[in-house]
Amino acid sequence: MRPKMQGFRRIWQSIQWCALGAVSVLLVTGIAFRLHFNFLTVSFCYLVVLVMQSLTGDFASSALVSVVAVGCLDYFFTDPLFSFEVSSPLYVAGLGSFLITGLVITRLVTKARVGAELSRIHRLRLQQLYEFAQQLLTLELNGKGEAQLLEPFCGVFGITAVCFFDAADAEVYVAGNAGEELEKRTGRAFLHEKDYDSDDQRLAVRCIRVGGRAIGAIGFQGVEDPDLIAGPLASLAAAHLERTRSFAHASRAAAAVQTESYRTVILDALAHEFKTPLSTILTAAGALREAASLGPQHHEMTEIVESEAARLSRLTSRLIRTARLEREEIRPWIELIDVSGVVAETVDQYARLSGGRRITFAKECGSSEVMADPELLRLAVSQLLDNACKYSSPGSTVSLSIVREHDEIVIRVQSSGNPIPASERGRIFERFYRGADGRRVGPGSGLGLFVARKIALALGGSIELDGDNPGAANGTVFRLALPVPERERDHVAAAV
């Protein structure tokens, strides 16, 4: 209905301008006739009226006024008077020239006026766009949803609703009183990668492209001058959404860093606080064990207290080391060590802590010497063992083996239970990541495998899921590989 009303309004204005011009021509005719103006003088007066008409009216009304002026000029100022007959060919040429001149002047003046008006509207729209862009830049970013972020566009340039289709998550966000047609047209514009305008419904939809590829579409309902401002508004909306999302991502990252900093500080402080009472317990247990008045049973209990306190002390040290390794770069103290000795000590420590699991260890190669940090290697193997015991079935067997494969010493940790789903295998070494089984089994930090991988990389090796191992079909197999020293490689090559 609105476009029709605007059409009727333009027609009514054109009729008013035409009537005003005709009255002006008749007024000039009356004055000129009484003063006995000649043909040339009255023609000039009519041209002045036509120019004034063109400055205010449109081309149609000005052209009609030109025809009225020619009729008056012929009727009142050419022989024979008071007749539309023309007696001289000169008058015919004069009337034709006047009509052509009037129409040309009318066209040029109208075109210049319309161009000036369009230029004024363009400057006004550009100024409004500039002021609106400044408002968007000064808006406080608080992580609102996309629909709320679109609300500033409602009310600007007559916009009553905004619809944004995000191709990244295939979601539609709407702000304002939007109809179904706006959402439908916005989705179609993205699918066909084609902009859309509708004058009767006052809709304007623009595709949002980055690098020549459509990443979404945004539609405006009730927008004024869609050809002029729909494109800039779409660019402003895309920039506003991207700026807001970047701010939200940065805020979450900063919050995560701060939270992690607090967490590691607290863990470090608690671990250090545990050290003092544990040292006291170990000292007291040692003194009791040396007392001569204790019986055999008391000696056994004292050894248990001392052993468990020592184990708790080692766990506390491990907690401190893990917290520090998680937030810092690892700087290993490299020396020549025997991997089998480190693994055997770790297996002995976990033998009493396996929760009903049976832990086996087998060395299937001759020499297993590598250049590594023994403490870091022990921590990495402990993480793998702890992970295997936690997620395997009670009463099952966790097996460790050491083999030599080419120029690497490989430690395999195999456990039974549910295999890791294919969708999670690419993320298990990520920081804080815990799979569905991990969240179901119990609490955890999601740092064990992350730290183990950092250690393996710092030692020049690697750690990965061994999907090619036959045991991986019924459980999980982790493969920790460390490079063989150069002299060992040379020795093997010489032997071959």
Side-chain angles (χ1 to χ4, degrees), residues 277-442:
L278 285 175
S279 299
T280 303
I281 293 173
L282 284 172
T283 302
L288 287 175
R289 184 166 48 81
E290 297 297 329
S293 59
L294 295 179
Q297 292 182 345
H298 293 153
H299 273 289
E300 184 178 354
M301 294 177 64
T302 302
E303 289 179 358
I304 293 175
V305 170
E306 191 174 14
S307 174
E308 292 301 313
R311 183 176 68 84
L312 187 57
S313 178
R314 287 192 298 270
L315 290 176
T316 304
S317 299
R318 177 184 169 189
L319 178 63
I320 296 174
R321 192 71 182 272
T322 302
R324 289 175 178 173
L325 290 178
E326 188 275 326
R327 70 176 187 266
E328 299 175 357
E329 290 299 322
I330 299 176
R331 298 177 179 85
W333 295 88
I334 300 297
E335 59 182 87
L336 185 64
I337 63 171
D338 187 354
V339 173
S340 61
V342 173
V343 173
E345 291 177 5
T346 308
V347 170
D348 290 341
Q349 293 174 6
Y350 270 84
R352 298 189 301 270
L353 311 173
S354 58
R357 282 82 172 172
R358 178 171 172 265
I359 302 178
T360 64
F361 169 58
K363 180 181 178 182
E364 301 174 3
C365 60
S367 173
S368 59
E369 291 184 341
V370 296
M371 298 296 295
D373 184 324
E375 183 62 27
L376 287 178
L377 180 58
R378 186 177 292 108
L379 180 58
V381 176
S382 298
Q383 298 285 11
L384 295 178
L385 261 178
D386 182 68
N387 194 74
C389 292
K390 183 184 298 183
Y391 298 113
S392 61
S393 306
S396 62
T397 299
V398 176
S399 60
L400 282 81
S401 62
I402 298 177
V403 298
R404 177 164 180 164
E405 297 179 357
H406 306 293
D407 293 332
E408 292 180 329
I409 298 296
V410 177
I411 304 171
R412 282 190 174 87
V413 180
Q414 179 178 339
S415 60
S416 61
N418 295 328
I420 298 176
S423 58
E424 298 180 0
R425 292 176 185 175
R427 302 190 60 191
I428 58 174
F429 293 103
E430 291 181 8
R431 185 183 187 187
F432 302 134
Y433 180 78
R434 301 191 72 208
D437 287 345
R439 292 190 295 270
R440 185 174 62 251
V441 167

Side-chain angles (χ1 to χ4, degrees), residues 405 412 425 464-473 477-479:
E405 297 179 357
R412 282 190 174 87
R425 292 176 185 175
E464 60 187 359
L465 272 175
D466 194 356
D468 296 333
N469 192 282
V477 180
F478 283 96
R479 181 182 184 274

Side-chain angles (χ1 to χ4, degrees), residues 23 77 80 104 188 202 217 232 253 285 321 360 426 432 464 476 487 489:
V23 170
F77 298 99
V104 170
R188 288 181 181 176
R202 300 188 69 196
R321 192 71 182 272
T360 64
F432 302 134
E464 60 187 359
T476 303
R487 64 179 184 85
R489 299 180 189 179

Side-chain angles (χ1 to χ4, degrees), residues 47-113:
L47 285 177
V48 173
V49 172
L50 290 178
V51 170
M52 299 300 295
Q53 170 73 18
S54 301
L55 291 175
T56 56
D58 55 9
F59 177 74
S61 62
S62 300
L64 288 175
V65 172
S66 298
V67 173
V68 173
V70 170
C72 290
L73 188 62
D74 180 21
Y75 192 80
F76 292 102
F77 298 99
T78 59
D79 293 329
L81 298 179
F82 310 115
S83 171
F84 289 108
E85 295 181 7
V86 181
S87 61
S88 173
L90 292 176
Y91 284 123
V92 175
L95 290 173
S97 299
F98 176 82
L99 180 60
I100 293 172
T101 303
L103 291 176
V104 170
I105 291 176
T106 298
R107 178 61 179 169
L108 292 176
V109 173
T110 304
K111 186 176 181 180
R113 182 178 59 82

Side-chain angles (χ1 to χ4, degrees), residues 70-287:
V70 170
C72 290
L73 188 62
D74 180 21
Y75 192 80
F76 292 102
F77 298 99
T78 59
D79 293 329
L81 298 179
F82 310 115
S83 171
F84 289 108
E85 295 181 7
V86 181
S87 61
S88 173
L90 292 176
Y91 284 123
V92 175
L95 290 173
S97 299
F98 176 82
L99 180 60
I100 293 172
T101 303
L103 291 176
V104 170
I105 291 176
T106 298
R107 178 61 179 169
L108 292 176
V109 173
T110 304
K111 186 176 181 180
R113 182 178 59 82
V114 172
E117 181 65 16
L118 288 177
S119 178
R120 185 188 67 82
I121 294 175
H122 284 191
R123 288 197 302 270
L124 177 62
R125 295 304 188 201
L126 287 176
Q127 180 65 25
Q128 291 174 335
L129 284 171
Y130 176 73
E131 293 175 356
F132 182 59
Q134 285 185 318
Q135 294 176 7
L136 290 180
L137 290 175
T138 57
L139 282 178
E140 182 179 356
L141 302 179
N142 51 12
K144 294 181 179 180
E146 279 76 357
Q148 292 177 303
L149 295 176
L150 296 173
E151 289 180 357
F153 291 84
C154 296
V156 181
F157 305 107
I159 295 173
T160 58
V162 185
C163 178
F164 174 66
F165 178 80
D166 188 1
D169 52 10
E171 290 289 340
V172 177
Y173 305 98
V174 180
N177 299 321
E180 295 182 1
E181 187 67 17
L182 179 61
E183 297 184 30
K184 185 187 301 182
R185 290 294 180 182
T186 304
R188 288 181 181 176
F190 169 75
L191 291 177
H192 299 290
E193 297 189 13
K194 186 178 181 180
D195 298 339
Y196 172 80
D197 288 314
S198 174
D199 294 334
D200 56 342
Q201 297 175 322
R202 300 188 69 196
L203 298 181
V205 183
R206 296 292 182 270
C207 289
I208 299 175
R209 295 177 175 85
V210 175
R213 182 176 62 88
I215 61 171
I218 188 165
F220 304 99
Q221 180 176 293
V223 62
E224 300 173 359
D225 299 328
D227 293 336
L228 179 63
I229 63 174
L233 278 178
S235 299
L236 284 176
H240 179 55
L241 289 170
E242 186 62 27
R243 172 173 170 261
T244 306
R245 289 176 175 179
S246 298
F247 174 81
H249 292 162
S251 299
R252 286 194 292 268
V257 170
Q258 187 176 20
T259 301
E260 180 55 23
S261 177
Y262 291 154
R263 187 189 67 83
T264 52
V265 168
I266 292 173
L267 285 176
D268 207 354
L270 288 175
H272 280 290
E273 288 296 323
F274 287 154
K275 279 289 188 178
T276 300
L278 285 175
S279 299
T280 303
I281 293 173
L282 284 172
T283 302

